[in-house]
Amino acid sequence: MNIPNHVAIIMDGNGRWAKAKGMPRNYGHVQGAKTVEDMCEIAWNMGIKYLTVYAFSTENWSRPDDEVNALMKLLRNYMKNCIKRASANNMRVRVIGDKTRLDEDIRKSIADLEEATKDYTGLNFTIAINYGGRDELRRAVKAISEEVKAGSLEPSDITEETIAMHLDTAGLPDPDLLIRTCGELRISNFLLWQISYSEIYVTDVPWPDFNKEELVKACEAYSGRTRKFGNVLK
Ligand code: IPE
Ligand code: IPE
Ligand code: MG
């Protein structure tokens, strides 16, 4: 089987999973966070080198306040505990998205986590928080414009590489496989630039139920695809 180098996941369906069990949506988010932890280890053991997950979108702020607060609380705890797990697993953690809107203590935990794990050579684990593909492109255009204004960059020298280098994902390879759980057939503003030629796999399984068997199924489907551009399979 051809294992994708970089797998990106739109982790969807926490709310529906909880509702189906007669539980509050937040219970689904708690279970979803546990699935993330398992998946890091499973992905690495399968030979996946980069795993990128969509944890909170720029649109998710419009959810009810109590749900946003519960998600932030979960992220806060997750970031604190992640250093220990990352060290034990040699995992490098990065966060993409606009961190400026996050609370100061969460930003500090993220900075500590990124710094502490920057030399680790195991799984490259990237978490998208307050991330939107359009917002990422907006911020990149702003940064490029500032360089042009300052005279350090000529408009005629702007290449696709220039744009890629100004995105939050600078230095990361593009995803080979994009997985979305819980059935929706849309991108929801995730990695718009980077998934140009990623293979897409959608499963009806909600995120809290996603497991090794489901990841293997996604990789098997990927392995049978004929790819164009991107990392064409040999
Ligand atoms: C995904 O699950 C988690 C986040 C977007 C934070 P949802 O909360 O979107 O669950 P559904 O889609 O409503 O079931
Ligand atoms: C996408 O899920 C965002 C994350 C997984 C963080 P959503 O549930 O927010 O997306 P929509 O609303 O179905 O497009
Ligand atoms: Mg959803």
Side-chain angles (χ1 to χ4, degrees), residues 6-8 173-179 187 190-201 222 225-231:
H6 184 175
V7 174
D174 286 341
D176 299 290
L177 172 63
L178 172 71
I179 298 173
I187 299 300
F190 193 38
L191 302 176
L192 299 181
W193 172 276
Q194 299 87 340
I195 59 164
S196 297
Y197 270 94
S198 305
E199 293 295 323
I200 300 176
Y201 177 88
Y222 167 85
R225 305 268 181 95
T226 304
R227 294 198 66 189
K228 286 209 145 187
F229 308 106
N231 290 334

Short mmCIF file of all heavy atoms in Angstrom, two decimals, residues 6-8 173-179 187 190-201 222 225-231:
data_model
loop_
_atom_site.label_atom_id
_atom_site.label_comp_id
_atom_site.label_asym_id
_atom_site.label_seq_id
_atom_site.Cartn_x
_atom_site.Cartn_y
_atom_site.Cartn_z
N HIS A 6 1.53 13.13 3.76
CA HIS A 6 0.83 14.16 4.55
C HIS A 6 -0.69 13.94 4.47
O HIS A 6 -1.26 13.99 3.39
CB HIS A 6 1.20 15.55 4.01
CG HIS A 6 0.62 16.69 4.80
ND1 HIS A 6 0.94 18.00 4.53
CD2 HIS A 6 -0.24 16.73 5.84
CE1 HIS A 6 0.29 18.79 5.38
NE2 HIS A 6 -0.44 18.05 6.17
N VAL A 7 -1.28 13.71 5.62
CA VAL A 7 -2.74 13.54 5.70
C VAL A 7 -3.33 14.73 6.44
O VAL A 7 -2.85 15.10 7.52
CB VAL A 7 -3.10 12.23 6.45
CG1 VAL A 7 -4.61 12.12 6.66
CG2 VAL A 7 -2.58 11.02 5.69
N ALA A 8 -4.33 15.37 5.84
CA ALA A 8 -5.04 16.46 6.50
C ALA A 8 -6.46 16.00 6.79
O ALA A 8 -7.06 15.29 5.98
CB ALA A 8 -5.05 17.70 5.61
N PRO A 173 4.96 20.24 3.46
CA PRO A 173 4.55 19.80 2.13
C PRO A 173 3.02 19.90 2.00
O PRO A 173 2.33 19.94 3.02
CB PRO A 173 5.01 18.33 2.10
CG PRO A 173 5.05 17.90 3.52
CD PRO A 173 5.40 19.13 4.33
N ASP A 174 2.51 19.94 0.78
CA ASP A 174 1.05 19.97 0.60
C ASP A 174 0.48 18.61 1.02
O ASP A 174 1.14 17.58 0.87
CB ASP A 174 0.70 20.23 -0.87
CG ASP A 174 0.95 21.68 -1.27
OD1 ASP A 174 1.03 22.54 -0.36
OD2 ASP A 174 1.06 21.94 -2.48
N PRO A 175 -0.76 18.60 1.50
CA PRO A 175 -1.38 17.31 1.86
C PRO A 175 -1.53 16.41 0.63
O PRO A 175 -1.87 16.87 -0.46
CB PRO A 175 -2.76 17.70 2.39
CG PRO A 175 -2.65 19.12 2.78
CD PRO A 175 -1.65 19.73 1.84
N ASP A 176 -1.26 15.13 0.83
CA ASP A 176 -1.51 14.15 -0.23
C ASP A 176 -2.94 13.66 -0.17
O ASP A 176 -3.57 13.41 -1.19
CB ASP A 176 -0.56 12.96 -0.06
CG ASP A 176 0.87 13.41 -0.15
OD1 ASP A 176 1.29 13.78 -1.26
OD2 ASP A 176 1.56 13.45 0.88
N LEU A 177 -3.43 13.53 1.05
CA LEU A 177 -4.77 13.00 1.26
C LEU A 177 -5.53 13.91 2.23
O LEU A 177 -5.03 14.24 3.30
CB LEU A 177 -4.67 11.59 1.86
CG LEU A 177 -5.96 10.92 2.32
CD1 LEU A 177 -6.93 10.69 1.15
CD2 LEU A 177 -5.66 9.59 3.02
N LEU A 178 -6.73 14.32 1.81
CA LEU A 178 -7.61 15.10 2.69
C LEU A 178 -8.80 14.22 3.07
O LEU A 178 -9.51 13.73 2.20
CB LEU A 178 -8.11 16.37 1.96
CG LEU A 178 -9.19 17.15 2.74
CD1 LEU A 178 -8.59 17.85 3.95
CD2 LEU A 178 -9.88 18.17 1.84
N ILE A 179 -8.98 14.03 4.37
CA ILE A 179 -10.09 13.21 4.87
C ILE A 179 -11.11 14.14 5.52
O ILE A 179 -10.75 15.05 6.26
CB ILE A 179 -9.59 12.20 5.94
CG1 ILE A 179 -8.58 11.23 5.32
CG2 ILE A 179 -10.77 11.43 6.54
CD1 ILE A 179 -7.91 10.30 6.35
N ILE A 187 -15.37 21.77 1.71
CA ILE A 187 -14.03 22.04 2.24
C ILE A 187 -14.08 22.92 3.49
O ILE A 187 -13.15 22.90 4.30
CB ILE A 187 -13.17 22.72 1.13
CG1 ILE A 187 -13.02 21.80 -0.10
CG2 ILE A 187 -11.81 23.16 1.63
CD1 ILE A 187 -12.36 20.46 0.17
N PHE A 190 -10.89 25.14 4.59
CA PHE A 190 -9.64 24.50 5.08
C PHE A 190 -8.58 24.47 3.98
O PHE A 190 -8.86 24.05 2.86
CB PHE A 190 -9.98 23.07 5.52
CG PHE A 190 -8.90 22.38 6.34
CD1 PHE A 190 -8.15 23.06 7.29
CD2 PHE A 190 -8.65 21.03 6.18
CE1 PHE A 190 -7.18 22.42 8.05
CE2 PHE A 190 -7.70 20.37 6.93
CZ PHE A 190 -6.96 21.08 7.87
N LEU A 191 -7.38 24.92 4.25
CA LEU A 191 -6.22 24.76 3.37
C LEU A 191 -6.50 24.96 1.89
O LEU A 191 -6.10 24.15 1.04
CB LEU A 191 -5.62 23.36 3.58
CG LEU A 191 -5.17 23.01 5.00
CD1 LEU A 191 -4.70 21.54 5.05
CD2 LEU A 191 -4.04 23.92 5.49
N LEU A 192 -7.18 26.06 1.55
CA LEU A 192 -7.64 26.25 0.16
C LEU A 192 -6.51 26.17 -0.85
O LEU A 192 -6.65 25.56 -1.90
CB LEU A 192 -8.34 27.61 0.04
CG LEU A 192 -9.58 27.77 0.91
CD1 LEU A 192 -10.20 29.15 0.68
CD2 LEU A 192 -10.60 26.68 0.62
N TRP A 193 -5.40 26.79 -0.53
CA TRP A 193 -4.27 26.82 -1.47
C TRP A 193 -3.58 25.45 -1.55
O TRP A 193 -3.24 24.96 -2.62
CB TRP A 193 -3.27 27.89 -0.98
CG TRP A 193 -1.97 27.94 -1.71
CD1 TRP A 193 -0.87 27.17 -1.47
CD2 TRP A 193 -1.63 28.80 -2.80
NE1 TRP A 193 0.14 27.49 -2.34
CE2 TRP A 193 -0.29 28.50 -3.16
CE3 TRP A 193 -2.31 29.82 -3.49
CZ2 TRP A 193 0.37 29.17 -4.19
CZ3 TRP A 193 -1.64 30.49 -4.51
CH2 TRP A 193 -0.33 30.14 -4.85
N GLN A 194 -3.41 24.85 -0.38
CA GLN A 194 -2.55 23.66 -0.25
C GLN A 194 -3.19 22.38 -0.79
O GLN A 194 -2.49 21.43 -1.10
CB GLN A 194 -2.20 23.45 1.24
CG GLN A 194 -1.43 24.60 1.87
CD GLN A 194 -2.34 25.70 2.44
OE1 GLN A 194 -3.51 25.83 2.08
NE2 GLN A 194 -1.78 26.52 3.33
N ILE A 195 -4.51 22.33 -0.89
CA ILE A 195 -5.15 21.07 -1.30
C ILE A 195 -5.46 21.02 -2.80
O ILE A 195 -6.24 20.16 -3.24
CB ILE A 195 -6.45 20.78 -0.51
CG1 ILE A 195 -7.46 21.91 -0.69
CG2 ILE A 195 -6.13 20.52 0.96
CD1 ILE A 195 -8.86 21.53 -0.27
N SER A 196 -4.82 21.91 -3.57
CA SER A 196 -5.08 21.97 -5.01
C SER A 196 -5.13 20.60 -5.66
O SER A 196 -5.98 20.33 -6.50
CB SER A 196 -4.02 22.80 -5.71
OG SER A 196 -4.07 24.12 -5.24
N TYR A 197 -4.19 19.73 -5.30
CA TYR A 197 -4.13 18.40 -5.92
C TYR A 197 -4.13 17.27 -4.89
O TYR A 197 -3.70 16.16 -5.20
CB TYR A 197 -2.96 18.30 -6.90
CG TYR A 197 -3.44 18.73 -8.27
CD1 TYR A 197 -3.29 20.03 -8.72
CD2 TYR A 197 -4.14 17.83 -9.08
CE1 TYR A 197 -3.80 20.44 -9.94
CE2 TYR A 197 -4.65 18.22 -10.30
CZ TYR A 197 -4.48 19.53 -10.73
OH TYR A 197 -4.99 19.92 -11.93
N SER A 198 -4.67 17.55 -3.72
CA SER A 198 -4.80 16.47 -2.72
C SER A 198 -5.92 15.54 -3.16
O SER A 198 -6.91 15.98 -3.74
CB SER A 198 -5.15 17.04 -1.35
OG SER A 198 -4.21 18.03 -0.97
N GLU A 199 -5.79 14.27 -2.82
CA GLU A 199 -6.89 13.33 -3.03
C GLU A 199 -7.87 13.50 -1.88
O GLU A 199 -7.46 13.69 -0.73
CB GLU A 199 -6.36 11.89 -3.07
CG GLU A 199 -5.47 11.59 -4.26
CD GLU A 199 -6.22 11.68 -5.59
OE1 GLU A 199 -7.40 11.29 -5.64
OE2 GLU A 199 -5.61 12.15 -6.58
N ILE A 200 -9.16 13.42 -2.18
CA ILE A 200 -10.18 13.65 -1.15
C ILE A 200 -10.89 12.35 -0.80
O ILE A 200 -11.23 11.56 -1.68
CB ILE A 200 -11.20 14.72 -1.64
CG1 ILE A 200 -10.46 16.03 -1.93
CG2 ILE A 200 -12.31 14.93 -0.61
CD1 ILE A 200 -11.34 17.13 -2.51
N TYR A 201 -11.07 12.14 0.49
CA TYR A 201 -11.78 10.95 0.97
C TYR A 201 -12.77 11.39 2.04
O TYR A 201 -12.39 12.01 3.02
CB TYR A 201 -10.77 9.96 1.57
CG TYR A 201 -11.39 8.71 2.17
CD1 TYR A 201 -11.62 7.58 1.38
CD2 TYR A 201 -11.73 8.65 3.51
CE1 TYR A 201 -12.18 6.42 1.93
CE2 TYR A 201 -12.28 7.50 4.07
CZ TYR A 201 -12.50 6.40 3.27
OH TYR A 201 -13.05 5.26 3.81
N TYR A 222 -6.84 5.83 -1.06
CA TYR A 222 -5.81 6.72 -1.61
C TYR A 222 -4.82 5.94 -2.47
O TYR A 222 -4.46 6.34 -3.58
CB TYR A 222 -5.07 7.41 -0.46
CG TYR A 222 -3.80 8.11 -0.86
CD1 TYR A 222 -3.83 9.41 -1.35
CD2 TYR A 222 -2.56 7.46 -0.76
CE1 TYR A 222 -2.65 10.05 -1.73
CE2 TYR A 222 -1.40 8.09 -1.13
CZ TYR A 222 -1.44 9.38 -1.62
OH TYR A 222 -0.29 10.01 -2.00
N ARG A 225 -5.70 5.30 -6.04
CA ARG A 225 -5.98 6.44 -6.93
C ARG A 225 -4.83 6.67 -7.92
O ARG A 225 -3.68 6.40 -7.61
CB ARG A 225 -6.15 7.73 -6.11
CG ARG A 225 -7.20 7.65 -5.02
CD ARG A 225 -8.55 8.12 -5.49
NE ARG A 225 -9.52 8.04 -4.38
CZ ARG A 225 -9.84 9.07 -3.57
NH1 ARG A 225 -9.26 10.25 -3.76
NH2 ARG A 225 -10.72 8.93 -2.61
N THR A 226 -5.20 7.21 -9.08
CA THR A 226 -4.18 7.69 -10.01
C THR A 226 -4.05 9.18 -9.77
O THR A 226 -5.01 9.92 -9.96
CB THR A 226 -4.62 7.46 -11.47
OG1 THR A 226 -4.92 6.08 -11.60
CG2 THR A 226 -3.53 7.87 -12.45
N ARG A 227 -2.89 9.60 -9.31
CA ARG A 227 -2.75 11.02 -8.96
C ARG A 227 -2.28 11.88 -10.11
O ARG A 227 -1.60 11.41 -11.02
CB ARG A 227 -1.80 11.19 -7.77
CG ARG A 227 -2.38 10.58 -6.51
CD ARG A 227 -1.69 11.11 -5.31
NE ARG A 227 -1.95 12.54 -5.12
CZ ARG A 227 -1.33 13.28 -4.23
NH1 ARG A 227 -0.39 12.75 -3.49
NH2 ARG A 227 -1.62 14.56 -4.09
N LYS A 228 -2.68 13.14 -10.05
CA LYS A 228 -2.21 14.11 -11.03
C LYS A 228 -1.45 15.19 -10.27
O LYS A 228 -1.89 15.62 -9.20
CB LYS A 228 -3.41 14.76 -11.72
CG LYS A 228 -4.09 13.83 -12.70
CD LYS A 228 -4.71 14.65 -13.79
CE LYS A 228 -4.64 13.96 -15.11
NZ LYS A 228 -5.08 14.83 -16.19
N PHE A 229 -0.35 15.65 -10.82
CA PHE A 229 0.44 16.68 -10.17
C PHE A 229 0.72 16.26 -8.73
O PHE A 229 0.79 15.07 -8.46
CB PHE A 229 -0.23 18.05 -10.29
CG PHE A 229 -0.58 18.37 -11.71
CD1 PHE A 229 -1.90 18.32 -12.14
CD2 PHE A 229 0.41 18.66 -12.64
CE1 PHE A 229 -2.22 18.59 -13.46
CE2 PHE A 229 0.09 18.93 -13.97
CZ PHE A 229 -1.23 18.90 -14.37
N GLY A 230 0.80 17.22 -7.78
CA GLY A 230 1.09 16.87 -6.41
C GLY A 230 2.22 15.85 -6.36
O GLY A 230 3.11 15.83 -7.20
N ASN A 231 2.18 14.97 -5.36
CA ASN A 231 3.17 13.90 -5.27
C ASN A 231 2.64 12.70 -6.02
O ASN A 231 2.02 11.82 -5.46
CB ASN A 231 3.41 13.50 -3.81
CG ASN A 231 4.13 14.59 -3.07
OD1 ASN A 231 4.85 15.39 -3.66
ND2 ASN A 231 3.92 14.65 -1.78
#
